[in-house]
Amino acid sequence: MRRNPLSPEALDAADRAIINALQEGFPLSHHPFAEAGASLGLSEEVLIERVGRLRELGVITRFGPFFDAEAMGGAFCLCAMAVPRERFDEVVTLVNAHHEVAHNYERSHHLNMWFVLACEKSSGIAEVADNIERETGLAVLRFPKLKEFFIGFRVAA
């Protein structure tokens, strides 16, 4: 998890174009990186390399599809924890080790760690959250979704 901002020169124009373009969708084809790269003026190999570099830098936290767990019979749940500053790195490693953790964010608040659990079955939410509590010794507050909103979130690079 990146905590410090990147220097302004860490990303070049091609990196910014990749970030902006790939938020709008990714081709479903036999060679999606070649197709996406062509629209950006990059080869398949260069695009794969650059996406990997963006991941290593922490500019992007993941690259892949976002599945609707509920539509497939599963469940989502927003969770929060109050993690002592001196244990934050340890706890984030333990939490992120669970493949059900869709994403995890640090916040400047008493509840300083927020993450989403995406489980194959609704019973998985309690199971994973309980496991995280046992592993960390910290409470996992659970905020189940009451209503779905579609907002189309994009971040311009």
Side-chain angles (χ1 to χ4, degrees):
M1 180 185 325
R2 168 167 292 291
R3 290 207 197 125
N4 300 316
L6 290 171
S7 65
E9 63 277 353
L11 301 179
D12 64 15
D15 291 328
R16 294 178 189 286
I18 290 166
I19 293 165
N20 292 333
L22 296 185
Q23 289 182 78
E24 296 302 320
F26 195 68
L28 295 177
S29 68
H30 290 290
H31 298 281
F33 284 93
E35 191 175 323
S39 69
L40 292 162
L42 302 170
S43 71
E44 178 179 34
E45 296 78 19
V46 168
L47 180 57
I48 291 169
E49 177 185 304
R50 282 182 173 263
V51 169
R53 181 179 162 273
L54 293 170
R55 175 80 169 90
E56 288 172 16
L57 287 172
V59 175
I60 57 175
T61 55
R62 65 180 298 277
F63 181 80
F66 182 79
F67 296 104
D68 185 345
E70 289 181 338
M72 298 183 294
F76 286 112
C77 186
L78 177 63
C79 299
M81 297 174 72
V83 180
R85 167 75 11 234
E86 66 276 6
R87 291 193 59 209
F88 198 89
D89 288 341
E90 168 205 350
V91 173
V92 79
T93 299
L94 291 169
V95 170
N96 288 351
H98 293 269
H99 72 271
E100 297 89 353
V101 175
H103 47 272
N104 189 340
Y105 297 98
E106 180 179 13
R107 296 287 183 237
S108 298
H109 184 271
H110 169 70
L111 297 173
N112 56 346
M113 183 180 293
W114 289 79
F115 56 94
V116 172
L117 292 178
C119 298
E120 291 180 23
K121 299 177 183 172
S122 59
S123 61
I125 299 294
E127 182 180 330
V128 175
D130 290 348
N131 287 340
I132 291 171
E133 287 181 339
R134 276 191 295 281
E135 293 166 5
T136 64
L138 301 170
V140 175
L141 303 177
R142 300 153 206 191
F143 302 96
K145 179 174 66 177
L146 301 177
K147 184 175 181 180
E148 180 113 19
F149 295 91
F150 297 95
I151 58 172
F153 181 73
R154 301 286 184 269
V155 178

